[in-house]
Amino acid sequence: QFGRYAYRNQPAIGQWNLARLAEALLPLFPGDDEQRVELAMNVLNRFPQWQQQAWETAMVKKLGFPEPEDGDRDLVEEGLVLLEQSGLDYTLFWRRLSQLTEPGASRQPVLELLTLPGATDSKTQQQALEQWLDQWQQNLTRREHPATARHRMERASPALIPRNHRVAEAISAAEQGDYSVFETLVQALADPWSELPRYQHLQHPPAPEERILHTFCGT
């Protein structure tokens, strides 16, 4: 309800989880209680920097760049704001972006995401997306070979994820004794980096009536 594990909150909740782990491990640390806490805190306080560096490295790979450079963080954050404002599907956006590495490649695979459920297909949003793509492609042309960039991007952004509505669908069918939906989902997710036509329907985001608004740890 309060977004405890929302994407934006994951760095903080990750640090919180590590703090709980540290509490459990404290008896194994050397020294007295005060020294043990100090040792644990020295590590925990460095986590935000480690997490930020790892996040930036991962996001730069999604852009196809070989190494982070000044300005990459701004480009990533502008892209994330754009995704939020336009309602573009996060997974499909990064995956289809890899199809635009060649100079002059059609932008249709990305632009058509504006027509999917939940997206805002307005002229303003399309113009903003085009401007961001211009900036990204200019950077990519300068920094990496198209084929190398595409391979890097495809390894950084899966074609398929276990979407909540598909998991719920598998659970519902299994409760009725039909495990075929579950088995299909498991088979598809065995290789989430490949785009296989027989699993293409599993890539799509949920329609409004299919959205799962509450999930549980047991799912």
Side-chain angles (χ1 to χ4, degrees):
Q1 183 177 357
F2 300 107
R4 177 179 174 86
Y5 300 106
Y7 185 81
R8 72 172 72 86
N9 293 334
Q10 286 181 3
I13 203 65
Q15 188 177 29
W16 184 89
N17 283 335
L18 288 176
R20 304 291 76 76
L21 176 62
E23 289 174 353
L25 295 177
L26 278 181
L28 304 178
F29 285 28
D32 57 28
D33 288 348
E34 185 175 342
Q35 291 171 325
R36 291 170 179 171
V37 171
E38 183 179 0
L39 285 171
M41 291 303 299
N42 286 339
V43 176
L44 290 170
N45 289 338
R46 290 150 68 189
F47 173 79
Q49 180 182 356
W50 293 337
Q51 188 278 332
Q52 187 61 39
Q53 290 174 343
W55 180 82
E56 289 183 7
T57 298
M59 296 306 293
V60 162
K61 288 180 180 179
K62 288 181 175 291
L63 295 172
F65 302 153
E67 297 290 341
E69 289 186 5
D70 290 343
D72 287 350
R73 180 182 174 85
D74 291 339
L75 184 62
V76 170
E77 291 185 343
E78 289 169 7
L80 293 176
V81 169
L82 182 62
L83 292 182
E84 182 177 13
Q85 291 177 342
S86 58
L88 291 179
D89 185 81
Y90 183 91
T91 300
L92 291 181
F93 173 79
W94 294 113
R95 183 68 180 193
R96 293 193 182 185
L97 194 66
S98 67
Q99 300 177 30
L100 276 59
T101 58
E102 290 285 349
S106 171
R107 294 179 174 181
Q108 190 59 29
V110 170
L111 294 178
E112 68 182 13
L113 294 178
L114 290 167
T115 65
L116 293 180
T120 303
D121 188 11
S122 68
K123 187 174 182 179
T124 300
Q125 293 297 342
Q126 183 169 338
Q127 288 176 340
L129 179 57
E130 292 269 18
Q131 291 173 358
W132 187 90
L133 290 173
D134 287 340
Q135 187 178 359
W136 165 70
Q137 286 182 320
Q138 289 170 7
N139 269 278
L140 190 65
T141 300
R142 175 177 60 84
R143 295 165 61 176
E144 189 57 279
H145 186 276
T148 303
R150 178 162 185 165
H151 177 74
R152 180 179 295 119
M153 295 170 73
E154 288 178 342
R155 299 309 300 173
S157 297
L160 186 66
I161 61 170
R163 295 182 183 273
N164 287 339
H165 69 297
R166 293 303 183 188
V167 173
E169 181 181 56
I171 292 173
S172 178
E175 289 175 339
Q176 302 301 316
D178 179 7
Y179 285 84
S180 64
V181 181
F182 167 75
E183 290 167 356
T184 297
L185 188 60
V186 170
Q187 291 167 5
L189 292 168
D191 183 14
W193 312 105
S194 298
E195 298 195 46
L196 303 176
R198 65 180 179 276
Y199 299 133
Q200 192 172 24
H201 66 288
L202 298 175
Q203 294 181 339
H204 299 160
E209 65 275 11
E210 295 176 316
R211 290 188 64 198
I212 304 298
L213 300 179
H214 296 89
T215 59
F216 305 91
C217 294
T219 304

